[in-house]
Amino acid sequence: MDGNPVLAATGSSAPAPADEQDTVAYRPGYERVAEEILRLIAELQLQPGDRMPTENQLASRLGTSRTVVREAVKILSAIGRIRAQKGRGLFVANDEGMLGSSLWGSFFLPTDLDHVYRLFEFRRVQEAAASRLAATRATPADLRAIEEAAETCREGHLTGRRELFDRGDDDFHLSVAKASQNPFLVDAVREARRLQRQSSTIGLHGTVGGHAEEAVAEHAAIYQAIKGGDAEAAAQAATVHLDQTLEDYRREIQRRVFG
Amino acid sequence: MDGNPVLAATGSSAPAPADEQDTVAYRPGYERVAEEILRLIAELQLQPGDRMPTENQLASRLGTSRTVVREAVKILSAIGRIRAQKGRGLFVANDEGMLGSSLWGSFFLPTDLDHVYRLFEFRRVQEAAASRLAATRATPADLRAIEEAAETCREGHLTGRRELFDRGDDDFHLSVAKASQNPFLVDAVREARRLQRQSSTIGLHGTVGGHAEEAVAEHAAIYQAIKGGDAEAAAQAATVHLDQTLEDYRREIQRRVFG
DNA sequence: TCGAGAAATGAGTCGTACACATATTGCCGA
DNA sequence: TCGGCAATATGTGTACGACTCATTTCTCGA
């Protein structure tokens, strides 16, 4: 087919910044298979969320081994087209999860305080933007979800049930993100929270004792601004909330370190 | 811009999209390994284009099997962080190169327009935030990198060399992101651009013909604002740039659909 | 009728073997 | 001495097979 003699210009002239397109495309099988899987999804008219054939079925159907299918699956899930669940199966990805792969913060060192600060900064950007958009786009259902989460959170605080507070807090921020109607922002918010949870020795919310009272009030402020359609106020309220949380976090760290 | 015909339907549709799921987050090994590989690259200070340890070395070093390493590698190469060459080895990807994605380009989901708009919106949030921070944090080296990228881009425009323009544009935005000194923002910007490259049948930059002239000027404006330390101006300039790019993109789509 | 345990299903991990592409070595002859 | 070329070494790609663990389904007995 390709009688292309790959003239390796080894020496001479420019060092050639790496090789742009040398090697006339060898095209590994797993790549071909990845394409075929996509084609198959289209062919079978599978909708987001639908089950896909199992890995073994795909392997035999596409005339290859399970190994290759698995590598193709990894590619497709990395670019957010399908989702794999251990013990369940493969599924066509729903629109969310686009930022996929949870590989953010790869340079994250769990104990590095500077990075913790950067993460808060990141969250502030994301959540302020989400709140701003939510103020002009939230549906009645969105508003209900936000209010309900805020209420859960408040109840957790009043009754001193930490896990209830945390769950409410999580729901609150995610509900706001969803209300922005931007799936990428939802992902960014979710991912940032996941990273923080994972890296923090303290837990996501600093302390319940220190900041919970204000947090409940700040949630209410955010909710009201969104409900009232005041985009700037919503963004401002979210920023304040994150800054307060960071401040609380900072205090907690100091307490642990110094006293 | 919400009067945009493109994005009319914000319709969030069904309130309960199937599985609310997760929380208990089982984290597959290959994902963990993928992270570790990235961490390793940073640790070893490998530069784009450098050779990486072989799959077997990675496997033993990370205390896992080659199978898992391979699946991690597939993920990382799918998101454009590394490159695998049969018979040669693994290499760190050049941050911008990324020609590998041409594979998917045309084949992928022909532009769900609403989706594309959301992606632009996301980029606007990220890059405006990055520019704002860069204005107060950019180091002299950062400024040099930004200026150089802008110059490359300009040169690509003047000489009509599309790929040079694209490379400069990529470099420019990533350099600005890096100048924010926030690694999460860098990731977000990179990821957003990657997604756009993948989902777009048009390419990352709309057209060179249409918008390139203005793009060069807008880049200059962003650079000047950052150099001058004017955070708000930088954010504003970045927002304008993204909006203009979207507008250009929208026109291109219309031309293709109707003209 | 219902709940608990057994079985089946399916992705995740491991190890091995070999195929195939490329890089390096080293021998041979001019 | 030098160039060319075969042998060899390195490393990714493909394939099997076995086993683990999470989830779902089925079955049977109280």
Side-chain angles (χ1 to χ4, degrees), chain A residues 62-80:
Chain A
L62 300 179
T64 184
S65 69
R66 192 182 157 215
T67 307
V68 174
V69 168
R70 277 186 64 78
E71 297 186 351
V73 163
K74 291 301 161 293
I75 292 176
L76 294 178
S77 70
I79 64 177

Side-chain angles (χ1 to χ4, degrees), chain A residues 203-224:
Chain A
L204 187 53
H205 314 281
T207 79
V208 164
H211 178 231
E213 181 87 31
E214 296 91 325
V216 168
E218 287 157 14
H219 285 176
I222 294 172
Y223 170 66
Q224 287 302 331

Side-chain angles (χ1 to χ4, degrees), chain A residues 115 200 250:
Chain A
H115 279 246
S200 168
R250 204 182 55 71

